[in-house]
């Protein structure tokens, strides 16, 4: 039998039926406890680990910082980070069995000199300092019923390159110059869009 055919058949034999396995956990207190291993469903080709730091307003307590750790299987994902007014997210992705044992690092807080506009629900003229690998400014518009919702912030180039199909987002753009994502007043809440972007990073 031809050597190439033999090698191909052996490859098929030893790879057929193999499913990726990844660590899975959801830590709402800033760390994962008792993470388990899950066999990924068909079509999932990556293991992901995500760390999100966001601010929440709690009655009688005021503003508090919440850190969420999440791990699991993903159809696809990219490593990088993104910052919006509602929070900062760091994502680490890999493609071998149980490669997501380590937590994604906490989102960087070291300004890199890049600045972008961000939104707070009333205005998109706030100026945000980007951190770490966030070399691009982002601008996204989503539709929720009759509302048009705008969100802006900073992102890694890898995040920009991977956001072609975010659910509910009708337009998404990235640019490189300081404050290149434009200032524009808005009256609608941007929380919906921010959550859509963060969910995309988690589930895409």
């Amino acid at each position: 039998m031809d050597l190439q055919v033999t090698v191909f058949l052996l490859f098929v034999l030893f790879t057929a039926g193999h499913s990726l396995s990844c660590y899975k956990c959801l830590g709402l207190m800033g760390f994962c406890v008792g993470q388990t291993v899950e066999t990924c469903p068909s079509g999932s080709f990556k293991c992901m680990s995500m760390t999100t730091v966001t601010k929440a307003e709690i009655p009688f307590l005021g503003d508090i910082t919440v850190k969420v750790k999440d791990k699991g299987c993903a159809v696809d994902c990219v490593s990088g980070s993104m910052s919006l007014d509602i929070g900062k997210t760091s994502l680490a992705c890999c493609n071998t069995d149980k490669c997501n044992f380590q937590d994604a690092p906490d989102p960087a807080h070291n300004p890199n000199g890049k600045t972008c506009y961000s939104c707070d629900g009333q205005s998109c003229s706030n100026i945000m300092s980007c951190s770490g690998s966030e070399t691009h400014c982002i601008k996204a518009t989503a539709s929720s019923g009759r509302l048009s919702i705008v969100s802006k912030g900073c992102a890694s180039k890898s995040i920009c390159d991977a956001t072609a199909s975010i659910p509910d987002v009708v337009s998404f753009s990235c640019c490189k110059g300081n404050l290149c994502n434009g200032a524009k007043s808005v009256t609608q809440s941007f929380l919906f869009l921010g959550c859509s972007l963060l969910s995309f990073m988690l589930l895409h």
Side-chain angles (χ1 to χ4, degrees):
M1 184 180 292
D2 184 89
L3 180 59
Q4 289 180 319
V5 174
T6 302
V7 171
F8 174 75
L9 291 176
L10 287 172
F11 176 81
V12 171
L13 176 65
F14 286 105
T15 59
H18 173 75
S19 296
L20 184 68
S21 59
C22 303
Y23 284 101
K24 179 180 181 179
C25 76
L26 178 60
L28 302 179
M29 302 301 293
F31 51 88
C32 282
V33 175
Q35 61 183 7
T36 58
V37 176
E38 68 171 337
T39 299
C40 298
S42 176
S44 292
F45 301 105
K46 297 284 185 71
C47 295
M48 71 88 190
S49 178
M50 184 174 76
T51 299
T52 297
V53 177
T54 187
K55 292 181 180 179
E57 186 175 339
I58 306 298
F60 308 112
L61 295 178
D63 290 339
I64 65 170
T65 299
V66 178
K67 183 188 296 184
V68 177
K69 299 279 187 178
D70 202 351
K71 295 182 182 181
C73 302
V75 174
D76 193 11
C77 67
V78 293
S79 298
S81 65
M82 181 174 68
S83 297
L84 302 172
D85 267 358
I86 61 170
K88 301 170 73 70
T89 293
S90 168
L91 188 66
C93 304
C94 51
N95 58 6
T96 57
D97 283 337
K98 297 183 282 189
C99 58
N100 62 335
F101 177 78
Q102 296 292 333
D103 292 352
D106 288 355
H109 288 279
N110 54 318
N112 59 17
K114 182 80 174 179
T115 55
C116 301
Y117 285 111
S118 64
C119 305
D120 62 6
Q122 300 299 320
S123 170
C124 284
S125 60
N126 301 312
I127 295 177
M128 170 182 288
S129 294
C130 304
S131 299
S133 66
E134 296 167 352
T135 57
H136 287 61
C137 296
I138 58 174
K139 176 182 177 181
T141 303
S143 178
S144 177
R146 295 182 179 181
L147 293 178
S148 179
I149 305 162
V150 177
S151 188
K152 298 180 181 181
C154 307
S156 302
K157 182 179 185 299
S158 55
I159 299 296
C160 288
D161 293 342
T163 49
S165 58
I166 307 173
D168 304 310
V169 174
V170 295
S171 69
F172 187 95
S173 61
C174 290
C175 53
K176 285 197 71 173
N178 281 332
L179 305 176
C180 61
N181 57 341
K184 179 181 178 182
S185 296
V186 294
T187 56
Q188 298 87 0
S189 169
F190 72 102
L191 180 61
F192 168 80
L193 177 56
C195 290
S196 292
L197 292 170
L198 295 180
S199 296
F200 166 80
M201 293 172 63
L202 171 61
L203 300 173
H204 178 65

